[in-house]
Amino acid sequence: MGRARVPDRPDTVAVAHGLFNVVGGLWPLVHLRSFEWVFGPKSDDWLQMTTGGLLVSAGVAQLAAAPGPQGPVQARRIGLGTATTLLAIDLIYVPKGRIRPTYLLDAAMQTGWIAAWLRSACGKSAGSDTR
């Protein structure tokens, strides 16, 4: 049984994570009922819509940045920021019982994105041209 390969090219991580954020953000916007079936009913639909919209925006920014010369660096900042924020929320509010344990699946995914960004080559580009 082989180990899953984490992409090490920052542009590949940017596109993959951008798509993940767009799809994840669109889910509650397009079909809130199925989202709540998995992650639990929410008392404030507007908050789900806001979070979904922000994730779509972050994902689109990652996708747009990916091909540019400094794009992967910017996509990495966006990716690490969103993944760290979502991971923190998952790990704080699941134990408190405020959100369902299914959010631990999201925590695992966010941990994977953080690891992918930390392993990606753009973190090792200290000597690159930054004009």
Side-chain angles (χ1 to χ4, degrees), residues 24-105:
L26 283 175
W27 186 9
L29 297 174
V30 172
H31 203 267
L32 185 60
R33 189 174 189 197
S34 67
F35 182 84
E36 288 183 334
W37 183 80
V38 173
F39 291 105
K42 310 296 183 227
S43 58
D44 293 321
D45 289 347
W46 69 268
L47 185 56
Q48 290 307 117
M49 300 302 169
T50 302
T51 303
L54 288 170
L55 281 174
V56 170
S57 297
V60 168
Q62 287 176 289
L63 292 169
Q70 289 299 310
V73 174
Q74 185 63 25
R76 182 178 197 260
R77 287 184 191 117
I78 296 166
L80 285 171
T82 57
T84 302
T85 300
L86 294 172
L87 175 63
I89 295 300
D90 295 340
L91 295 180
I92 291 168
Y93 290 102
V94 168
K96 289 183 176 187
R98 297 278 297 154
I99 56 177
R100 282 190 180 173
T102 49
Y103 277 94
L104 293 177
L105 297 171

